Amino acid sequence: MTHSAETNRTNLPSWKALSALAESMKNQHMNDLFAMDAQRFDKFSINLPNILFDYSKNLIDDSVMAELLQLTKDVDLADWRDKMFNAERINLTENRAVLHTALRNRKQKQILFDGENVAEQVEQALAHMETFVNQVRQGQWKGYSGKRITDIVNIGVGGSNLGPQMVTEALKHYSDQSVNVHYVSNVDGAQITEVLAPLNPEKVLFIVSSKTFTTTETMTNANTATQWLLKSANDKSAIANHFVAVSANIKNATEFGIHPDNIFSMWDWVGGRFSLWSAIGLPIALDLGFDKFIELLDGANDIDEHFQHAPMTENVPVLMALLSLWNCTFLGFKSQAILPYDQTLHMLSAYLQQAEMESNGKSVTWNGEKTGYATVPSIWGELGINGQHAFYQYLHQSNNIVPADFIGSVESVTPVAGHHETLMSNFFAQTQALMTGVNEQQVRADLKAKGRVPEVIDKLAPHKVHEGNRPTNTLLLTRINPKTLGQLIALYEHKIFAQGILLQICSFDQWGVELGKGLAADIEKELLSDEVLPQHDSSTTNLIKFYKSVKQQ
């Protein structure tokens, strides 16, 4: 293990320097920082192909950035990055490699893992996907009655659902409507009932996405889907025509009734929340066509190249990670908003919430010791315009400062005269308002100019003050399309990796998901029986008793 694995982050000189700088920067206002440096935007923005990243509206200066960049050296970030791309087992608690980047390795560079070339495995999996996608989209894949497939229902949960659904929603204007794609993730029967109600069983193809093929929510929904199909088909052999699987458990999928040729590969070196680039992305390829799925991979690969080769001073994912660390761990801002100003990205906040919080919502270091410092903020958000009429009041005037990422596009995918200019004027205005604010003197002058009497001015002025100084990043894309969306997602993926190294936490496990799932399995047995077992606390015991008593009435 390198020196950075053995050194507590708080003992590093750069970490100590940043702690001291944070105290002094809390007394600075970004308005003054801009006033003092006419080159601030040029210094603190980066123009990548298709994406402009502006981080100048953060509470940073040259000294802060110098220490943040020094921290990347102190923690050996470049070495850890190379280990990831070289298939070393950097998922320390599960002894696994982290190779979602291999899924979009477009130059097919050799990647050796356990003596096998991963690049060849990925190309074989992509070829399998392409053949299947073309068969379905061209009407060659038939249901049990010989009719072509018109609807795809993807059954998965977490990364097996959220990534593909976010992408198909974002890119639906690029779909030729060869098939209609639907998603089922919630074990609440209301969702699958609603999705299946208008569909014809003879024309539906189900994709069951589960690495283990044992995930409770997914398999419950898959079994319900099977029963729904068999009510129409009356023949279990029909399952082979209407179900495919994305799984590493060939035995379970085959026993379910899925033909081995229709089981698509998953590998333990890809975490669910980083898996949309794999066969988990089948719904994307079916909806858009395989060529556009490849464009998505190409965009992500462009960012992989950037992350690998750009110097730290110009490396956008690294800078995003450093700013998150600065805002949360050093300045104490405990949440962050994701605010897309593009209707196509309406699921992006939820997607990034899982990606970052499941990865880095941890409180122990690689060595299993308590960190002693805040790791990542809670992530939340909504479409920008909707948010403006909901929670922006909080962003502008609450006691809690919430750094925000504003994400927009220069060109609309669906231009309507005047709409995009109205949208983007709000986009630009909000980052400005969050930074500059408006002081009491300005408020009073404005009220006086509007003819308000002194008594009214005295009463209203404190309520209208905006302190400003609220950090934002801006990511401005040329246009949302498969390639730029691939770039955007990959930027955040690599930000998450860099955060984990900086914070000395394991980003690629999710043990926090397991405890509740295990308890739920035990409680489900109680809900289906006549007894309530005594092992629970009194609250849980009585909640279960109440549920069962009402259910039995």
Side-chain angles (χ1 to χ4, degrees):
M1 200 70 75
T2 66
H3 124 90
S4 67
E6 299 157 3
T7 306
N8 187 298
R9 293 292 186 252
T10 57
N11 293 330
L12 296 170
S14 52
W15 192 282
K16 292 177 179 178
L18 287 163
S19 296
L21 283 168
E23 291 306 308
S24 62
M25 288 302 289
K26 287 174 184 176
N27 300 316
Q28 286 275 16
H29 199 291
M30 278 185 264
N31 289 340
D32 298 326
L33 296 174
F34 270 87
M36 289 187 290
D37 187 355
Q39 305 302 313
R40 185 173 173 85
F41 171 79
D42 295 330
K43 189 184 297 179
F44 297 138
S45 66
I46 294 171
N47 198 349
L48 297 177
N50 307 313
I51 300 178
L52 172 66
F53 176 60
D54 170 22
Y55 62 103
S56 59
K57 293 189 180 88
N58 277 279
L59 201 54
I60 54 171
D61 59 13
D62 292 338
S63 57
V64 170
M65 289 311 301
E67 291 298 340
L68 286 170
L69 290 163
Q70 180 59 44
L71 181 62
T72 67
K73 297 177 183 176
D74 292 348
V75 304
D76 304 325
L77 177 57
D79 289 344
W80 283 99
R81 175 192 61 195
D82 294 344
K83 289 179 183 188
M84 177 175 75
F85 281 97
N86 292 331
E88 294 191 35
R89 296 176 183 273
I90 63 166
N91 178 347
L92 302 174
T93 61
E94 297 177 307
N95 194 33
R96 294 175 178 173
V98 175
L99 281 176
H100 50 276
T101 54
L103 300 170
R104 64 258 185 150
N105 172 25
R106 304 305 303 141
K107 294 176 183 174
Q108 298 178 39
K109 300 173 186 171
Q110 179 175 274
I111 303 169
L112 288 177
F113 177 65
D114 284 352
E116 293 189 39
N117 184 3
V118 167
E120 289 180 0
Q121 297 175 23
V122 171
E123 285 307 306
Q124 290 168 7
L126 285 170
H128 187 194
M129 287 176 65
E130 183 175 17
T131 299
F132 169 72
V133 165
N134 290 339
Q135 284 179 334
V136 174
R137 285 171 55 81
Q138 293 166 13
Q140 296 161 6
W141 185 293
K142 308 289 187 186
Y144 73 87
S145 64
K147 294 178 180 176
R148 71 172 288 160
I149 298 299
T150 58
D151 292 87
I152 308 294
V153 177
N154 189 76
I155 298 176
V157 71
S160 299
N161 170 81
L162 198 48
Q165 188 174 12
M166 182 274 290
V167 171
T168 53
E169 285 291 311
L171 300 177
K172 65 182 176 183
H173 297 290
Y174 295 90
S175 171
D176 62 4
Q177 308 298 312
S178 291
V179 292
N180 303 306
V181 177
H182 316 268
Y183 290 88
V184 173
S185 61
N186 197 341
V187 76
D188 185 333
Q191 187 182 34
I192 193 166
T193 300
E194 183 179 319
V195 168
L196 296 182
L199 305 184
N200 180 349
E202 298 172 68
K203 299 180 177 183
V204 176
L205 183 67
F206 294 94
I207 303 170
V208 183
S209 293
S210 172
K211 185 180 287 187
T212 61
F213 226 73
T214 59
T215 308
T216 302
E217 302 93 330
T218 299
M219 298 319 299
T220 300
N221 281 322
N223 289 324
T224 298
T226 305
Q227 293 161 18
W228 177 81
L229 172 70
L230 294 179
K231 277 183 186 176
S232 172
N234 292 313
D235 184 351
K236 286 192 174 182
S237 67
I239 292 172
N241 298 75
H242 292 269
F243 281 81
V244 301
V246 184
S247 182
N249 192 331
I250 294 171
K251 178 176 178 289
N252 279 19
T254 305
E255 288 175 356
F256 184 88
I258 296 171
H259 193 282
D261 291 347
N262 301 329
I263 301 171
F264 294 84
S265 302
M266 289 186 80
W267 301 278
D268 68 6
W269 37 257
V270 179
R273 56 194 175 277
F274 303 97
S275 66
L276 68 86
W277 324 99
S278 70
I280 291 292
L282 270 174
I284 303 170
L286 285 161
D287 191 34
L288 303 177
F290 197 75
D291 57 337
K292 292 188 177 66
F293 181 71
I294 293 298
E295 289 175 28
L296 184 77
L297 302 189
D298 285 337
N301 183 241
D302 287 349
I303 298 302
D304 295 343
E305 297 283 333
H306 167 77
F307 181 54
Q308 275 187 284
H309 303 299
M312 294 294 175
T313 53
E314 300 166 26
N315 198 306
V316 175
V318 171
L319 293 169
M320 291 169 73
L322 290 171
L323 292 165
S324 174
L325 179 81
W326 173 244
N327 284 325
C328 179
T329 308
F330 291 99
L331 294 178
F333 305 148
K334 296 298 171 57
S335 77
Q336 180 185 351
I338 304 292
L339 306 172
Y341 277 71
D342 195 302
Q343 180 67 31
T344 65
L345 299 178
H346 71 96
M347 287 192 67
L348 183 66
S349 302
Y351 174 77
L352 293 177
Q353 187 176 65
Q354 185 207 13
E356 186 163 323
M357 293 171 74
E358 192 167 271
S359 296
N360 291 335
K362 316 282 174 63
S363 56
V364 295
T365 68
W366 297 331
N367 302 323
E369 300 166 354
K370 278 283 186 182
T371 59
Y373 45 81
T375 53
V376 294
S378 56
I379 304 292
W380 56 283
E382 171 61 278
L383 287 172
I385 291 293
N386 293 349
Q388 286 179 204
H389 296 271
F391 54 78
Y392 276 40
Q393 165 63 49
Y394 183 94
L395 297 186
H396 283 286
Q397 286 189 306
S398 78
N399 285 329
N400 294 328
I401 293 177
V402 181
D405 284 2
F406 281 72
I407 303 164
S409 54
V410 175
E411 296 178 28
S412 171
V413 176
T414 51
V416 179
H419 280 248
H420 203 62
E421 289 69 30
T422 301
L423 175 73
M424 294 307 293
S425 64
N426 280 272
F427 177 87
F428 297 124
Q430 288 294 335
T431 65
Q432 181 180 4
L434 285 163
M435 182 189 81
T436 60
V438 57
N439 62 35
E440 187 168 348
Q441 183 180 356
Q442 292 168 313
V443 169
R444 286 179 173 276
D446 180 61
L447 290 170
K448 185 176 181 181
K450 291 176 178 174
R452 299 299 180 93
V453 297
E455 294 80 8
V456 172
I457 293 174
D458 289 342
K459 183 178 180 180
L460 288 180
H463 298 279
K464 293 174 74 71
V465 169
H466 294 57
E467 293 180 358
N469 215 29
R470 302 189 176 225
T472 60
N473 295 317
T474 296
L475 291 121
L476 189 55
L477 285 67
T478 52
R479 177 188 176 95
I480 302 296
N481 59 38
K483 185 162 190 174
T484 59
L485 184 63
Q487 290 177 292
L488 180 66
I489 298 167
L491 283 174
Y492 278 97
E493 285 183 343
H494 291 314
K495 169 202 172 184
I496 288 163
F497 165 82
Q499 278 177 319
I501 303 303
L502 293 164
L503 292 162
Q504 204 179 35
I505 55 178
C506 299
S507 300
F508 299 101
D509 58 28
Q510 54 280 328
W511 302 109
V513 177
E514 303 301 321
L515 176 60
K517 287 168 68 173
L519 291 172
D522 293 335
I523 290 173
E524 185 175 0
K525 294 172 188 172
E526 292 180 61
L527 298 183
L528 294 170
S529 71
D530 294 329
E531 60 179 337
V532 176
L533 300 177
Q535 75 263 34
H536 308 296
D537 60 88
S538 62
S539 168
T540 305
T541 297
N542 283 289
L543 287 169
I544 294 170
K545 284 181 178 177
F546 178 81
Y547 172 88
K548 294 179 75 165
S549 67
V550 173
K551 189 95 170 172
Q552 290 162 4
Q553 288 176 5

